[in-house]
Every structure is written in C-alpha cells, then in structure tokens.
C-alpha cells in the first residue's frame, strides 16, 4: 500500500511538472541535452551549486525534471548514477534518509525505470543508503543483489563499489575472513578492468583490516602496495591515507621521527593535488595523527592547534562537544608553558632588534660603496663586453663541433670493437656447446658464462643507444612523483643473479616516505648504472651499501662498495666530456665507459648532481642529489 501511494505521489508530481513551466534552468537543461562521452561528467557537476542551495520543498520537482531529461540519453546510466548519488547526499544533509529510501523504492517499481541498467543503479543506491543508516543486514542483501545481477554499461564501477562495501560490512561485523574474501574479489575485479585507483583503494582497505586485527606486518605491506597503485592511478588522497596509516603504525612503535616523515608525505600529497574542501575524512585523520606526533615530541602548542583542526571536522555535534571539552583541558595544561615561552621570546626579540639596527647601518654603508664600485667597473668593462661575447660564441661553437665529431668517432669505435668482439665470442661459444664435445656439467657452466656475457652486451648496447640519443636529439625530461625505495628494490631484483654469482651482500637503509620529482626512466638509468658499477668493481664476497637520507630540500641516494676504488686522476677523468674510458671489473667484466656519462647528464637534466668519493683499494661512494617531492 505504501509503495502504491509513493508511485501515485510521484505520478502526480510529474503531471504537475508537465503542466507548469520548467523548474530546471535552461542553461543546465541544454547542457544535459547536448552532453556526450567527452563532457557528460562536467554537465552533471553543474547541478552541484543548485543542489546545495535548493529548498527542501523544491527537491522532488527539481530531481524529477533532471531524471526525465536524462532517461533517454545514450549515457543515461552513467549520468543517472551520479544524479542518484547527489539526491542521496541532499537527503543526508537534511537528515531525511527514510524519505529518500521511499523515493528509491518508488523508482524501482515505476515501469519507466525497468531496464536492467537502471534497476542495478537504483539497487546499489538503496544498499548504500541502508549502509549509511546502519542497517547492515538490508544493506548486505541489496549489495549482494547488485553483485549477482548481470554486468551492464559502466557496471564495472558499480560492481567494484558493491563488493568493496560488502567487505566493509563484514569488517564492521568483525567477520574478518569474510571481509578479506570480498576485498580480494574487489581487487581482482579492479585489476581485470585496469582500474589502478581502485586497486590502490583495495590494498588500503586490506591494510586497515589487518591493522584492526593486530597483524601490523601485513598491514604495512598492504599500505606500501596501496601507495604505489594510488600514485599510478592518480588517487592522491588514497596514497595520503596510506602514508597516514603507516605514520600511525610507526608512532605506535615509538618511532616519532619516522612517523613525522611519513605524515609529511601525506600532507604534501593532499595540499598539492587535492582541493581543501574534498576528502575531509582524510584531512581529519591526518590532523589527529599530527596532534599525537607533536604531543609525543613535546610540542604541545602545535599539538593543540592540530587537534583543534581535527575537532572542527568532527562528524557529529556530540563528537564535537566531547572533543572541545578535551581541547579546553589540553589548553589549561599548556597555558603555563606558553607563558614561560612568551617571556623568553620577548627577551630574545629585544636582543634581535638591537642587532638588526646595527646591521642596517652596516648594510647601508656597504650598499653605497657597492654602487660606486659597480658604476666604475661598468664603465671599464663596457668596451670589452661585445668582443668577449663574440669570442665566447665562436669558442662554444668550435667546442660543440669538436664534441659532436668526437661522439661520432667514439660511436663507430664502440660498434667496431666493444660490441663486435663480445658478440663474436658468444657466437663461437654457442657453436662449441652445440658440438656436444663436453660433459653436461661443463656445458651448464659454459652456458652460465655465456648468459652473463649476453647480459653484459645487452647492458652495453642499452647504454650505447641511450647515449647516442642524448648526443644527437637531446629529448626532454618528463618529471613525475617517484617513490624511490620501490625503484631501488626493482633494480636489485634485476641484478640478483649477478650478486649471487659474485657472493656479494647488499645492505639497504631506505626511508619509505622518500619521494622525488624526476623523470622516472632517466632516474632508472642513473640508479641502474651506479648499482651495476658497484657490483662490477666489488671483489667476490664483498658488500654493497645503498641508503637514502634527507638534507634540507634535497634527497641524497648513496651507493657505496668495498671494491678496487679509484685514484684522483681516474675520478677527474670521469667528469671530462671529451674522454670516455672503460675498465675491467674484478671478474674481467667489460664495459665501454658510457654509463657514468649518462648518469652525469641525467642528474643535471633533473636539477641534481652526482658526487664521487674513492681511494684505491678502499672502494668507492657515489651520491645522487635530487630535489625532494614532499618539501
């Protein structure tokens, strides 16, 4: 009976709408009518200002007109999905969820909305409304129906969202195995449709589940994986949530400095890539952890300010009242400390004012002297400037011509000698193996040697092609946010066989929060060559150390070995553009001397530099300095 009344009310409302003038502004209506696959979302988003200021009594008429306009559009399912979400948020704003539920049920029974696609959208929104109202049983039933119905246009997003919410319901009910099962189904479907943002969200939710169940190690692994996929999918608020959760784990272990560094990464991502009024729940959690970190570090005043920002974002009036009471208590505890700090600060400011006054006099005198001296030097140098500029231009052109000619000669020399010789040796070795004149053990040993030779030739050829491309085309760099610990781990996996053959151990000290802003491919070439050289020149049984650290606005990645080292003359020759030299490794590994030249050029192109320290017989240390992304 209730459903019949709702349908009758909806029908009467629609008849009144047809009989009266259009309530929907013409600009919005025309935008919806002409929308296509390139601008449909922007057309729907234009509804937002009207929805926010819409009086309650005008709601039904407004949304009925929007739905009538959209129901026959080619992209109606995507657009109706967003409109139903906006309608639901409107009712949540006025705490009228029961009325919204009746309207959705009426839509579901209306014959105009009986296509499988629209039924799937309406059923999903009914489940979402039950979930927000706390009725887990009915929400689970609606989402299960959504998941089991056939896929439709844009059904992958609805399917993924429904599976994820089912996992949240299981987690809310403390059914952790059931939650893990649904999270894994969400993850599999997101990977199937290559939705990297949802892959990252799935790993983030798994991390939260494991943290809640006390399995901090598994939680940390999933949070780190979430960061990688959220950055690839440009879901920066998701990556920020993962960094915030890792920071909370570090704080629980009393690792205050690490917690601060991880939270700085979360702040950077939110402030750089997300609007301030979006994802308030992420900002709220970030400010809460920031308050705890400041409190643990003894900075009570800053802890108070961060807690105030957290309290302002409280979800309910009751939460806000309780938190403001805690804030008043914290303020009373910090009052006496603030008074003492204020007296000390006032005294220091008076001393600084005296120093500033004396400094102004000195600076003014120096400025007058500098102006006079500069005027005299300008007169003396004006006559010679044009001649020096012409001379410099001619010398630069001559140097560039010589450099290009030398590059060409070196290129042909490498092709004729450094590549032709090793490839010929590999060919002869394969012919020897095919003749079957050796034992199986000798044959396997010889094949392993040939495999290592092929890897060295491939690395030489790769460096050669990159170097030639740099010399003759000079391509532009494309900087992105790069998570450097992940890149170093990828390269170490690449050289695992060579490390094993030479019995070389690797010691790493990497901070998970370290992000840089650089061209990822060029950064990969730099780190690959530095790690390869460290292995190449290390004695069998030696050690390679890789660590990252922060100095002001710089991130410094240091790769050191305990190998044969270099003299001062050899170090200086590395930085000469007109000289390319190669040396044999500790197991006669052959190179062409191009790797370090590429490292220097790519470090400079990305606004950084490369530093070298070495002594003969004591090993070498290479330090790469790049600008931090989260400064």
């Amino acid at each position: 009976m209730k459903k019949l009344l709702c349908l009758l009310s909806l029908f009467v409302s629609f008849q009144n709408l047809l009989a009266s003038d259009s309530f929907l502004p013409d600009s919005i209506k025309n935008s919806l009518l002409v929308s296509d696959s390139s601008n449909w979302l922007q057309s729907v988003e234009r509804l937002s200002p009207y929805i926010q200021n819409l009086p309650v009594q005008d709601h039904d008429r407004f949304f009925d007109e929007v739905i009538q306009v959209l129901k026959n559009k080619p992209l109606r399912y995507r657009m109706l999905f967003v409109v139903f979400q906006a309608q639901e948020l409107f009712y949540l704003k006025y705490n009228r969820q029961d009325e919204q539920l009746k309207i959705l049920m009426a839509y579901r029974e209306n014959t105009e909305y009986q296509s499988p696609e629209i039924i799937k959208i309406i059923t999903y929104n009914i489940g979402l409304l039950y979930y927000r109202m706390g009725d887990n049983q009915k929400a689970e039933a609606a989402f299960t129906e959504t998941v089991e119905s056939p896929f439709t246009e844009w059904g992958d997003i609805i399917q993924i969202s429904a599976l994820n919410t089912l996992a949240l319901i299981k987690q809310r009910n403390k059914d952790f195995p059931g939650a893990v099962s649904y999270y894994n189904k969400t993850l599999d479907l997101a990977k199937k449709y290559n939705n990297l943002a949802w892959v990252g969200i799935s790993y983030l939710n798994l991390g939260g589940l494991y943290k809640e169940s006390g399995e901090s190690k598994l939680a940390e692994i999933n949070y780190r994986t979430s960061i990688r996929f959220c950055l690839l999918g440009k879901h920066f608020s998701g990556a920020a949530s993962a960094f915030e959760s890792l920071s909370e784990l570090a704080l629980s272990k009393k690792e205050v400095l690490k917690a601060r560094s991880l939270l700085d990464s979360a702040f950077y991502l939110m402030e750089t890539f997300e609007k301030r009024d979006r994802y308030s729940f992420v900002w709220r959690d970030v400010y809460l952890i920031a308050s705890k970190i400041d409190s643990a570090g003894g900075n009570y005043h800053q802890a108070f300010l961060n807690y105030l920002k957290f309290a302002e974002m409280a979800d309910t009036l009751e939460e806000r009242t309780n938190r403001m009471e805690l804030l008043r208590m914290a303020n009373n505890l910090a009052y006496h400390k603030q008074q003492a700090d204020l007296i000390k600060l006032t005294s220091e400011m008076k001393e600084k004012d005296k120093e500033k006054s004396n400094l102004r006099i000195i600076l003014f005198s120096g400025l007058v002297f500098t102006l006079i001296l500069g005027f005299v030097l300008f007169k003396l140098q004006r006559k010679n400037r044009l001649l020096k500029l012409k001379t410099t231009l001619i010398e630069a052109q001559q140097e560039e011509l010589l450099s290009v000619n030398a590059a060409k000669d070196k290129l042909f020399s490498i092709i004729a000698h450094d590549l032709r010789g090793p490839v010929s040796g590999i060919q002869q070795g394969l012919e020897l193996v095919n003749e079957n004149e050796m034992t199986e053990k000798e044959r396997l040993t010889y094949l392993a040697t040939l495999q290592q030779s092929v890897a060295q030739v491939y690395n030489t050829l790769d460096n050669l092609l990159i170097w030639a491309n740099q010399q003759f085309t000079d391509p532009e760099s494309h900087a992105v946010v790069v998570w450097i610990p992940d890149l170093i781990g990828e390269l170490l996996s690449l050289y695992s066989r060579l490390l094993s053959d030479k019995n070389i151990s690797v010691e790493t000290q990497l901070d998970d929060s370290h992000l840089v802003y650089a061209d990822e491919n060029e950064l990969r070439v730099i780190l690959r060559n530095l790690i390869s050289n460290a292995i190449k020149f290390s004695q069998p049984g030696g050690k390679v150390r890789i660590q990252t650290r922060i100095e002001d606005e710089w991130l410094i990645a240091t790769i050191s070995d305990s190998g044969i080292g270099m003299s001062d003359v050899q170090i200086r020759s590395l930085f000469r553009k007109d000289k390319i030299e190669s040396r044999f490794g500790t197991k006669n590994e052959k190179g062409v001397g191009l790797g370090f030249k590429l490292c220097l050029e790519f470090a400079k192109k990305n606004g950084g530099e490369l530093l070298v320290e070495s002594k003969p017989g004591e090993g070498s240390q290479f330090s790469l300095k790049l600008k931090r992304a989260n400064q």
Side-chain angles (χ1 to χ4, degrees):
M1 186 65 182
K2 289 183 179 179
K3 291 183 179 179
L4 183 60
L5 290 175
C6 289
L7 285 171
L8 181 61
S9 174
L10 187 63
F11 177 75
V12 172
S13 176
F14 180 58
Q15 292 295 325
N16 292 335
L17 178 65
L18 294 177
S20 61
D21 294 334
S22 177
F23 186 78
L24 191 65
D26 290 338
S27 60
I28 299 298
K29 184 176 181 179
N30 294 333
S31 175
L32 294 174
L33 287 172
V34 301
S35 59
D36 55 26
S37 60
S38 64
N39 64 357
W40 69 272
L41 187 55
Q42 291 86 342
S43 298
V44 176
E45 285 180 344
R46 288 189 178 183
L47 297 172
S48 180
Y50 292 93
I51 294 173
Q52 291 178 1
N53 300 309
L54 191 65
V56 177
Q57 65 272 15
D58 295 332
H59 165 269
D60 293 343
R61 184 178 175 186
F62 179 85
F63 277 105
D64 280 343
E65 278 202 43
V66 172
I67 293 171
Q68 289 299 322
V69 170
L70 295 181
K71 70 177 184 179
N72 293 320
K73 289 285 295 176
L75 296 169
R76 59 188 178 278
Y77 310 126
R78 299 187 184 190
M79 302 173 82
L80 284 172
F81 177 79
V82 180
V83 170
F84 282 132
Q85 295 290 302
Q87 191 179 31
E88 180 182 345
L89 293 176
F90 178 87
Y91 276 104
L92 286 174
K93 176 181 178 181
Y94 293 102
N95 196 24
R96 298 171 63 194
Q97 296 94 324
D98 292 337
E99 187 173 343
Q100 166 66 4
L101 186 60
K102 292 177 183 178
I103 290 176
L104 287 174
M105 292 295 188
Y107 282 146
R108 185 169 179 175
E109 299 297 330
N110 194 330
T111 56
E112 294 186 20
Y113 304 107
Q114 288 304 305
S115 68
E117 293 87 354
I118 297 181
I119 290 295
K120 189 181 185 77
I121 294 172
I122 294 173
T123 304
Y124 170 80
N125 281 275
I126 289 173
L128 196 60
L129 192 58
Y130 276 132
Y131 177 74
R132 288 176 174 167
M133 294 170 65
D135 194 335
N136 292 336
Q137 186 175 359
K138 292 182 179 180
E140 185 173 357
F143 284 125
T144 302
E145 181 181 347
T146 303
V147 171
E148 292 176 352
S149 62
F151 272 34
T152 60
E153 176 191 354
W154 213 41
D156 55 329
I157 297 297
I158 300 177
Q159 202 85 353
I160 292 171
S161 301
L163 285 170
N164 182 70
T165 315
L166 282 170
L168 291 173
I169 292 172
K170 295 292 185 181
Q171 186 174 346
R172 179 188 284 180
N173 294 332
K174 304 300 181 183
D175 181 5
F176 292 143
V180 170
S181 176
Y182 275 115
Y183 280 138
N184 285 329
K185 290 179 181 178
T186 307
L187 184 60
D188 292 340
L189 195 59
K191 289 180 178 179
K192 176 180 177 181
Y193 287 99
N194 197 31
N195 193 323
L196 298 180
W198 263 108
V199 172
I201 294 171
S202 299
Y203 279 117
L204 175 64
N205 288 337
L206 279 169
L209 175 67
Y210 286 125
K211 184 175 74 170
E212 183 180 347
S213 60
E215 300 181 67
S216 59
K217 189 64 178 178
L218 287 175
E220 185 175 350
I221 292 172
N222 280 276
Y223 285 142
R224 289 179 179 176
T225 309
S226 172
I227 291 171
R228 181 181 181 185
F229 282 101
C230 284
L231 289 176
L232 289 173
K234 297 184 178 180
H235 195 297
F236 299 108
S237 63
S241 291
F243 272 119
E244 175 267 322
S245 298
L246 284 172
S247 176
E248 187 175 10
L249 286 176
L251 186 62
S252 67
K253 300 175 184 177
K254 309 300 182 182
E255 299 173 352
V256 179
L257 293 179
K258 182 178 180 181
R260 167 57 66 186
S261 179
L262 289 165
L263 196 66
D264 285 344
S265 297
F267 268 116
Y268 167 76
L269 291 173
M270 293 299 292
E271 291 174 348
T272 305
F273 299 105
E274 300 293 359
K275 294 181 180 179
R276 197 73 178 182
D277 57 347
R278 296 184 64 192
Y279 303 107
S280 59
F281 64 94
V282 179
W283 282 110
R284 181 191 63 192
D285 294 342
V286 167
Y287 281 125
L288 177 60
I289 298 302
S291 176
K292 292 181 179 180
I293 293 173
D294 290 328
S295 179
N299 190 351
Y300 300 108
H301 178 69
Q302 188 61 41
F304 173 78
L305 295 178
N306 282 323
Y307 201 91
L308 180 61
K309 293 177 181 177
F310 162 71
E312 289 174 352
M313 295 182 177
D315 294 330
T316 65
L317 180 62
E318 182 180 358
E319 269 190 17
R320 186 172 297 181
T321 302
N322 293 336
R323 289 171 181 170
M324 291 304 297
E325 180 63 28
L326 291 175
L327 285 173
R328 282 192 289 270
M329 294 171 61
N331 192 25
N332 290 333
L333 291 173
Y335 174 79
H336 296 291
K337 185 178 185 300
Q338 292 175 5
Q339 292 298 315
D341 291 342
L342 182 61
I343 295 173
K344 181 180 178 181
L345 181 61
T346 302
S347 176
E348 291 175 352
M349 289 178 64
K350 289 181 180 179
E351 292 295 327
K352 288 182 179 180
D353 286 340
K354 291 181 182 179
E355 294 175 1
K356 287 181 180 179
S357 178
N358 295 332
L359 183 60
R360 289 192 190 100
I361 297 173
I362 296 173
L363 289 176
F364 180 78
S365 301
L367 179 61
V368 173
F369 176 79
T370 302
L371 289 174
I372 295 173
L373 181 61
F375 179 79
V376 174
L377 291 175
F378 175 78
K379 287 292 185 180
L380 293 175
Q381 294 177 358
R382 188 173 184 180
K383 295 181 180 180
N384 297 326
R385 187 176 302 162
L386 183 59
L387 180 61
K388 287 184 177 180
L389 286 174
K390 291 181 178 179
T391 303
T392 302
L393 180 60
I394 293 172
E395 291 176 352
Q397 291 174 342
Q398 183 179 8
E399 182 178 354
E400 182 178 357
L401 183 61
L402 291 173
S403 176
V404 171
N405 192 50
K408 180 197 68 175
D409 293 341
K410 183 61 180 179
L411 179 63
F412 284 109
S413 173
I414 291 170
I415 294 173
H417 180 267
D418 292 308
L419 285 178
R420 184 179 179 185
V423 171
S424 176
I426 292 171
Q427 180 182 6
Q428 295 174 6
L430 290 173
E431 291 175 356
L432 182 61
V433 171
N434 288 333
E435 291 176 359
N436 295 323
E437 294 182 1
M438 57 180 67
T439 65
E440 183 65 20
K441 182 177 181 181
E442 292 174 339
R443 187 166 178 264
L444 292 175
T445 303
Y446 202 76
L447 283 175
T449 303
L450 287 177
Q451 183 181 7
Q452 185 174 350
S453 298
V454 170
Q456 292 173 2
V457 170
Y458 177 83
N459 191 51
T460 298
L461 182 59
D462 191 36
N463 280 339
L464 176 62
L465 291 174
I466 296 173
W467 174 77
N469 189 42
Q470 285 293 119
Q471 297 300 312
F472 299 111
T473 63
D474 191 24
E476 294 183 356
S477 298
H478 300 284
V480 295
V481 177
V482 181
W483 193 22
I484 198 165
D486 185 63
L487 184 56
I488 291 174
E490 173 189 327
L491 293 173
L492 287 176
S493 298
L494 180 66
Y495 288 108
S496 60
R497 176 64 180 272
L498 188 56
L499 289 166
S500 177
D501 288 344
K502 296 185 72 171
N503 193 25
I504 295 174
S505 61
V506 178
E507 178 182 332
T508 60
Q509 294 180 3
L510 308 175
D511 193 319
D512 290 335
S513 66
H514 286 172
L515 301 171
V516 294
Y517 202 66
D519 186 296
E520 185 171 1
N521 290 327
E522 293 175 355
L523 181 56
R524 181 178 280 103
V525 171
I526 296 172
L527 293 174
R528 186 192 69 195
N529 278 283
L530 294 181
I531 294 173
S532 175
N533 285 342
I535 299 171
K536 176 180 175 181
F537 295 111
S538 289
Q539 298 289 353
K543 177 185 290 186
V544 173
R545 295 186 64 222
I546 304 174
Q547 61 180 0
T548 58
R549 68 180 190 279
I550 297 298
E551 286 186 7
D552 299 327
E553 74 274 18
W554 297 97
L555 184 145
I556 301 177
T558 301
I559 300 173
S560 56
D561 61 70
S562 57
I564 58 178
M566 293 180 290
S567 65
D568 292 340
V569 175
Q570 290 173 319
I571 293 175
R572 286 194 294 271
S573 69
L574 290 176
F575 293 87
R576 290 182 57 180
K577 293 184 179 180
D578 59 341
K579 193 171 184 179
I580 299 178
E581 294 182 350
S582 64
R583 293 195 301 163
F584 286 93
T586 55
K587 292 189 71 175
N588 293 322
E589 301 99 321
K590 182 70 171 83
V592 296
L594 290 178
F596 189 78
K597 303 297 181 184
L598 289 175
C599 295
L600 287 174
E601 291 182 18
F602 285 159
K604 184 177 180 180
K605 284 182 68 177
N606 286 275
E609 64 176 323
L610 198 56
L611 306 176
V612 181
E613 297 178 16
S614 183
K615 289 184 179 180
E618 296 183 11
S620 303
Q621 176 176 294
F622 294 81
S623 297
L624 173 63
K625 293 180 64 175
L626 291 173
K627 288 281 187 178
R628 294 172 59 194
N630 55 338
Q631 53 183 320

